Amino acid sequence: MSSVIFGEITRGIEFTGDLKRDIEALFTVHDALSTYEHILNVVNEAVQKFVADKLSWESPVHDVFQVQMRARIHESDLNGAVLVYLDHVWEQRQQLKLVHPWLIEARAELRGNKLNRG
């Protein structure tokens, strides 16, 4: 997802490899407010695509979390829909070879928990 966000934010910017010039180019194209609004729009679109992807899976195994995700979407709660999916994966963690740290962080953030990164 981060590469999608980066691609959207940097569209139309020619990077030189000089950090100072590249940052100046970024702010020349986007002022602070429009950059913030643009980032929010891109993130919202990415979340919508993530949720739509999970709802497109057709299998009886997926029915349980999909029903819960649809209920959250009906309440206009996209973050809640994502959390339903992350909780579903978390419940399956014993069968997984690896639980990615991003899953843990995203789940904690959506639950309102702060992770100690020190």
Side-chain angles (χ1 to χ4, degrees):
M1 202 166 4
S2 61
S3 62
V4 172
I5 294 168
F6 179 78
E8 288 293 320
I9 293 170
T10 60
R11 185 179 301 164
I13 298 173
E14 187 73 31
F15 287 104
T16 64
D18 178 329
L19 185 59
K20 184 178 178 183
R21 286 185 182 175
D22 291 345
I23 290 172
E24 288 172 354
L26 181 67
F27 283 108
T28 300
V29 173
H30 303 286
D31 67 28
L33 181 58
S34 70
T35 299
Y36 177 75
E37 290 172 352
H38 181 71
I39 290 170
L40 286 179
N41 289 337
V42 170
V43 169
N44 189 43
E45 184 178 328
V47 170
Q48 289 175 9
K49 287 179 181 179
F50 176 86
V51 169
D53 175 63
K54 303 313 174 222
L55 292 175
S56 71
W57 298 350
E58 294 183 23
S59 167
V61 175
H62 301 120
D63 286 348
V64 175
F65 77 83
Q66 288 179 339
V67 168
Q68 294 170 343
M69 286 179 76
R70 283 188 176 92
R72 294 296 178 103
I73 291 168
H74 184 70
E75 298 166 0
S76 299
D77 183 7
L78 274 177
N79 285 344
V82 171
L83 183 58
V84 166
Y85 175 75
L86 296 179
D87 282 344
H88 171 74
V89 174
W90 182 254
E91 291 168 7
Q92 308 298 318
R93 68 187 177 280
Q94 299 302 326
Q95 290 82 35
L96 301 174
K97 292 182 182 181
L98 168 74
V99 176
H100 198 287
W102 290 356
L103 171 88
I104 297 167
E105 288 180 32
R107 189 171 173 268
E109 183 177 322
L110 289 173
R111 289 185 161 279
N113 303 332
K114 301 287 184 194
L115 291 178
N116 183 2
R117 294 189 172 166

